[in-house]
Amino acid sequence: MLAESHFYFHKAADVIGLDDKVRTILLTPRRSVKVEVVIEGEDGELQTYNGFRVQHNMARGPMKGGLRYHPAMDEDHAVALANLMTWKTAVVDVPYGGAKGGIDCDPRHMSERDLFQVTTFFVEQLKEIIGPTTDIPAPDVNTNAKVMGWIMHEYSKYAGFSPAVVTGKPLDLFGSEGRDAATGRGLVHVLGAALEEQKKSFEDVTVAVQGFGNVGSNAALLIAEQGARVVAAADSTGGVSNDGGLDVPALHAWKNEHGRVDGFPGGEAFENTEIIGWDADVLVPAALENAITEDNASDVKASLIVEGANAPTTPGADQILNDRGVAIIPDILANAGGVTVSYFEWAQNIQQFRWDEARVNRELDKKMSQAYRSVREVATEHDIDLRTAAFVLAIRRVGRAALARVHYRTEFPF
Ligand code: NAD
């Protein structure tokens, strides 16, 4: 995964003629920490896990990035995803660097009490290196507002009242209005901008969504609200389709009640692997990385892909899709709404002041519009695809901030 995320960096670095040493400096994490997480489970058995936190770059501000609880989590994932966070925060121009972490546990097979134990143990191990001005975790796959609340509470035991140490917290515990739906909302905003460029509206398009968790379900709800037909949705349990358009609020309620899209009575069931090749105008991969690969890229029928997940498209697949003229709004732009509202939450925590939801959404829309425009300008300037343009924009911003902090005699071609 690391090599893949670096591939896009190098492609953009080639466009601006970045030399090898600067590439190494910008790619190398500032700090990578691995800890052993040990708890006594509810069954009285000892459980051990590996916890990771990779702090990639803080040239533009404190490092920011999610915490993922997943059996496949490892240092390689954390480094790659921390890198992406550095570029993502730069694309939306929020005053942060990048970080990422997680634990290789499987919450599907753990009690809530054990998850709580794992989380507090992890915070105890990391308390010296996270904090409101150094590294601010947030939710990612299999972590949510509840877990973030536990983190705030545990960290505050050591550092005093510190709501700004973590974002994506419950509303009752200094979370922000609008944070839950923010990634989906930001995604729908850039999808709207792309459709506008193509002189289309939401009513003109059909959409297939892979992943029906935080990002996928919120994106699907808003896409349907805008008037597009969501014709297929899939999660890890299966898929459901309806050519006339799924009743997305009903599917959302079903998923909340049953924990899966499978079995939803308002559509036909299908194997979740089919979603990538679904006959729809727009494909939203919002599950995990490497969903679109060289093996299935030629199955894609959509003419526009909006990446809700981080790194859902491998470089080989990206090339195939670019050659076929399929437009891709890349992850570091399309899913940056989450970190943007995380920034609003952090700012509210520091000011001890609460914004209402309308203000959060208005500011989010403004940030996403600016980011889309800036990426489009770079794409036009260099005649490159949106992903490469987003990386060029981010590398420039991070590189310039890093340079402005020190005195070097070397001039860099940013
Ligand atoms: P989540 O755990 O809430 O949801 C993940 C969804 O993907 C679940 O519905 C799961 O069933 C589904 N899924 C897993 N494997 C699948 C498969 N093989 N086929 C179809 N569906 C599958 O996680 P999330 O927070 O929605 O995150 C999803 C992606 O978005 C991740 O890549 C994450 O890094 C990225 N992301 C999340 C946020 C955020 O604010 N939550 C922000 C930016 C990026």
Side-chain angles (χ1 to χ4, degrees):
M1 183 184 181
L2 193 53
E4 284 152 5
S5 76
H6 286 181
F7 176 89
Y8 297 127
F9 171 92
H10 287 301
K11 196 172 166 192
D14 288 345
V15 172
I16 50 177
L18 213 59
D19 82 27
D20 287 349
K21 283 205 183 99
V22 183
R23 291 181 196 220
T24 306
I25 293 166
L26 288 177
L27 283 176
T28 309
R30 188 183 167 86
R31 173 155 54 189
S32 177
V33 176
K34 182 178 174 207
V35 297
E36 191 183 27
V37 178
V38 184
I39 62 158
E40 187 184 63
E42 215 155 12
D43 54 6
E45 295 289 316
L46 281 183
Q47 297 176 15
T48 63
Y49 304 101
N50 296 298
F52 306 91
R53 189 69 185 168
V54 172
Q55 301 178 328
H56 176 246
N57 187 293
M58 63 182 311
R60 303 183 73 258
M63 294 165 286
K64 187 89 188 85
L67 273 188
R68 179 177 292 196
Y69 289 178
H70 195 279
M73 191 66 199
D74 58 17
E75 191 179 355
D76 193 52
H77 271 78
V79 173
L81 294 167
N83 250 281
L84 273 186
M85 285 308 297
T86 296
W87 315 126
K88 189 185 300 184
T89 53
V91 166
V92 277
D93 199 14
V94 292
Y96 286 143
K100 201 80 172 195
I103 302 175
D104 60 1
C105 61
D106 190 348
R108 282 175 312 174
H109 302 119
M110 293 168 73
S111 69
E112 195 167 283
R113 178 256 180 211
D114 287 358
L115 266 185
F116 174 77
Q117 299 282 100
V118 159
T119 304
T120 52
F121 191 97
F122 190 46
V123 174
E124 207 271 325
Q125 303 271 64
L126 293 186
K127 62 181 184 302
E128 277 88 16
I129 62 158
I130 62 171
T133 59
T134 48
D135 179 357
I136 306 142
D140 192 74
V141 174
N142 293 331
T143 57
N144 52 22
K146 191 179 267 183
V147 176
M148 300 304 117
W150 298 339
I151 293 174
M152 181 209 139
H153 177 68
E154 188 64 17
Y155 180 82
S156 295
K157 282 186 193 166
Y158 304 104
F161 177 65
S162 309
V165 66
V166 67
T167 58
K169 299 178 294 292
L171 268 180
D172 290 325
L173 204 61
F174 312 100
S176 175
E177 297 283 354
R179 173 60 185 89
D180 223 25
T183 309
R185 179 174 291 278
L187 184 150
V188 176
H189 194 82
V190 293
L191 167 59
L195 291 176
E196 207 176 299
E197 274 178 2
Q198 298 176 1
K199 311 256 176 295
K200 286 183 189 158
S201 71
F202 281 94
E203 285 87 4
D204 299 327
V205 295
T206 54
V207 182
V209 181
Q210 183 204 34
F212 211 72
N214 175 289
V215 181
S217 68
N218 280 302
L221 280 168
L222 290 161
I223 285 169
E225 208 176 283
Q226 293 290 322
R229 257 184 307 146
V230 177
V231 290
D235 69 5
S236 59
T237 64
V240 61
S241 73
N242 187 329
D243 290 347
L246 290 161
D247 179 344
V248 182
L251 177 58
H252 192 247
W254 174 272
K255 168 99 185 181
N256 280 344
E257 190 182 338
H258 301 273
R260 53 207 296 148
V261 302
D262 195 35
F264 176 62
E268 309 273 316
F270 64 88
E271 286 281 327
N272 61 6
T273 46
E274 290 174 44
I275 191 82
I276 300 300
W278 206 262
D279 192 3
D281 303 307
V282 178
L283 173 64
V284 178
L288 293 172
E289 51 277 348
N290 300 343
I292 310 175
T293 65
E294 282 172 77
D295 292 336
N296 62 12
S298 37
D299 300 340
V300 170
K301 297 192 184 57
S303 57
L304 175 61
I305 295 175
V306 194
E307 295 184 339
N310 285 314
T313 312
T314 64
D318 190 67
Q319 189 62 51
I320 294 170
L321 294 164
N322 278 331
D323 291 347
R324 285 183 44 208
V326 176
I328 304 176
I329 308 183
D331 46 10
I332 57 172
L333 170 61
N335 70 30
V339 74
T340 302
V341 175
S342 273
Y343 160 56
F344 298 158
E345 179 177 333
W346 177 77
Q348 292 170 68
N349 292 157
I350 286 170
Q351 295 179 354
Q352 294 292 312
F353 188 79
R354 192 174 278 247
W355 299 1
D356 63 19
E357 192 175 354
R359 177 169 179 195
V360 171
N361 291 345
R362 207 168 51 240
E363 296 289 338
L364 171 62
D365 288 355
K366 216 192 290 177
K367 274 276 179 211
M368 296 308 293
S369 293
Q370 274 165 359
Y372 188 85
R373 259 200 317 275
S374 304
V375 171
R376 172 56 72 201
E377 272 169 27
V378 176
T380 308
E381 180 194 341
H382 293 285
D383 192 21
I384 49 180
D385 58 87
L386 287 179
R387 189 192 308 281
T388 312
F391 271 88
V392 166
L393 178 69
I395 292 169
R396 272 189 192 151
R397 286 179 173 164
V398 175
R400 284 175 183 164
L403 269 188
R405 287 170 176 267
V406 289
H407 172 71
Y408 285 145
R409 275 166 296 174
T410 320
E411 295 249 326
F412 296 124
F414 291 126

